[in-house]
Amino acid sequence: MAVRTPDPDPDGGFGFDDVPGADANPAWLTDIELEEARRRLPMLYVEAVPVVTDGSGQVTSIGVLLRSTPLGEITRTLVSGRVRYGETIRDALFRHMENDLGPMAFPLLPVSPTPFTVAEYFPIPGVSAYTDDRQHAVSLVYIVPVTGTCEPRQDALEVTWFSPEEAASDALASEMEGGRGTLIRHALAHLGLLR
């Protein structure tokens, strides 16, 4: 069955005005719609490895979120979230940085929307280094310097800053959800900091 995307309105909108709940955010799915979509197709995400740099641009610290899962478990993770329909990758990355690190983090988004790597999450362990028991997801991963003060929001409890050596440790990797410890090591290797 072919599905036609809405034509833009003359005022620049996308013709969602007569859809119930369109005033809040026409690109957001209900819980039921999201669950159905997750069973049928890969979801697109952006992830960010927040870093602090010194005056010469060398990475001195890597930020990792401490969060509580819906089951009450405490885990470590990275800034991440879905890309909404009609949202640019840059806007999605900025939105998730602000949601997870607060409005005063002042992230320096990359000039190009090219990620340093792409991570593919599967609900079945062993298919890749990354797992997500809810879905098959493809994530564009960025290294994003922050220049302000990070005050975690939403489900993040705190932001912990690790030296590159600490971030590469097996101890931290074991606390990271979904294989994200491997993702941090990829980021460190990309930056030339993995020893």
Side-chain angles (χ1 to χ4, degrees):
M1 173 174 109
V3 176
R4 187 175 165 271
T5 58
D7 292 324
D9 291 335
D11 65 359
F14 282 97
F16 289 110
D17 296 335
D18 54 349
V19 176
D23 54 335
N25 185 346
W28 202 249
L29 300 172
T30 67
D31 290 342
I32 294 168
E33 291 168 330
L34 178 59
E35 191 63 36
E36 181 66 23
R38 282 179 166 158
R39 282 197 306 263
R40 295 178 178 259
L41 57 122
M43 303 299 286
L44 179 62
Y45 279 72
V46 290
E47 288 187 277
V49 179
V51 298
V52 173
T53 60
D54 63 16
S56 65
Q58 290 286 75
V59 171
T60 58
S61 302
I62 290 88
V64 177
L65 298 173
L66 184 69
R67 74 176 195 102
S68 174
T69 68
L71 300 174
E73 301 169 327
I74 302 296
T75 62
R76 294 196 183 272
T77 192
L78 297 174
V79 171
S80 69
R82 289 190 318 271
V83 178
R84 294 176 178 163
Y85 176 81
E87 182 177 44
T88 66
I89 291 170
R90 176 179 295 285
D91 288 345
L93 189 56
F94 184 82
R95 178 172 54 86
H96 290 296
M97 291 292 291
E98 186 174 86
N99 285 348
D100 287 347
L101 300 179
M104 302 305 286
F106 301 127
L108 300 175
L109 297 183
V111 175
S112 167
T114 304
F116 86 88
T117 195
V118 175
E120 194 169 13
Y121 292 84
F122 288 93
I124 303 163
V127 177
S128 81
Y130 311 107
T131 59
D132 184 333
D133 60 357
R134 303 168 301 167
Q135 65 193 342
H136 175 193
V138 176
S139 184
L140 308 175
V141 190
Y142 299 86
I143 298 167
V144 181
V146 294
T147 59
T149 304
C150 296
E151 295 292 330
R153 297 170 30 173
Q154 295 194 353
D155 65 348
L157 303 173
E158 72 175 29
V159 180
T160 307
W161 295 97
F162 294 95
S163 70
E165 294 78 20
E166 294 168 328
S169 72
D170 290 337
L172 180 61
S174 69
E175 295 179 24
M176 301 290 292
E177 66 180 9
R180 286 181 175 89
T182 301
L183 204 51
I184 287 180
R185 288 180 176 149
H186 283 288
L188 292 169
H190 180 77
L191 293 166
L193 298 173
L194 192 61
R195 293 176 170 56

